Each structure stands twice: as C-alpha cells, then as structure tokens.
Amino acid sequence: MTNTGVIAPWGDEGWGVVESPDTPGGCWVQFGHLWAITLPPTRRNESIHISRTGVPDPIAGEAVDFEWERVRQDGYDYRAVSVRPRRSGPTTTIRWEYGSDRHPGVVFRTVARPESLEADG
C-alpha cells in the first residue's frame, strides 16, 4: 500500500523519519530507501549491477510517497521499504549479466528507472 508522508528533519547518520498519519510516531527511513528499486530475483548464472549518480539529499518538509512495514527500528514502530520524493531522482542504471555454458560471454540488458519514464510523460 502506498501512503503519503513528509520528510522530518534528516540527521547526519544516513537515516531519518517520514511523518504520516498512517505511521503514528514516524516511520524510520534509511538513505538507501530513497528512490528504491524493486527487482525480481536473479536467475541461475545471473547478476545484477545497479549504479546511481546524482542522488539528492532528502529535504525536510518534502512530500513523499512511501511503502512501509510494521517492524521496530531504532525506537520507531514502522520502517520504510521504499520512499519516493515527488521531484526528480538520481539517474539509475540497472544491468543484468548472464553468463554460463549456454551463453558464452556476457549478455547485457539495461532498463531505465520508472520515475524517469513517468516524468517524461
């Protein structure tokens, strides 16, 4: 379920809180949850490489869409799974590599992150 919240003042430790009526007391967020990507499980002989450039810092008071789970984390009853600020995010490149006896060498498949596709439309 997607909820709407607001970024609370962010600390220097790499984590902060999203405030929302759906997560009373706040929802713990780690920096890596911002613009998180959900990928399917890898297949045999497959590896996934993700690179990001231009990851902006969270801004206190910024509206976000987020998913959460009810898990205690650092004194909070809720932990974010994914947090998407409503502004442009980082440039993300996802590369799948396949290599085995069936596929000599390496085959690459690269996709754009969904947010960049939505922003263009």
Side-chain angles (χ1 to χ4, degrees):
M1 176 190 321
T2 300
N3 298 98
T4 301
V6 175
I7 297 280
W10 199 268
D12 293 331
E13 301 86 22
W15 65 271
V17 175
V18 170
E19 296 173 341
S20 170
D22 299 307
T23 56
C27 180
W28 186 90
V29 179
Q30 198 270 339
F31 189 78
H33 294 134
L34 298 171
W35 292 285
I37 301 167
T38 303
L39 297 171
T42 58
R43 294 177 276 186
R44 185 171 180 231
N45 296 317
E46 176 182 52
S47 60
I48 299 173
H49 303 273
I50 301 171
S51 62
R52 298 175 116 184
T53 57
V55 180
D57 288 333
I59 300 170
E62 177 175 23
V64 296
D65 297 312
F66 72 109
E67 284 82 38
W68 53 271
E69 57 189 355
R70 190 177 188 107
V71 174
R72 284 199 55 80
Q73 178 77 47
D74 292 334
Y76 295 91
D77 290 331
Y78 306 93
R79 179 174 62 196
V81 175
S82 174
V83 179
R84 291 170 311 287
R86 295 179 178 175
R87 60 188 157 108
S88 295
T91 299
T92 303
T93 302
I94 306 168
R95 187 180 73 208
W96 281 263
E97 291 183 13
Y98 303 93
S100 70
D101 295 337
R102 288 186 320 145
H103 300 287
V106 178
V107 178
F108 297 105
R109 176 169 55 114
T110 303
V111 298
R113 63 185 184 85
E115 291 88 359
S116 67
L117 299 176
E118 292 172 8
D120 293 339

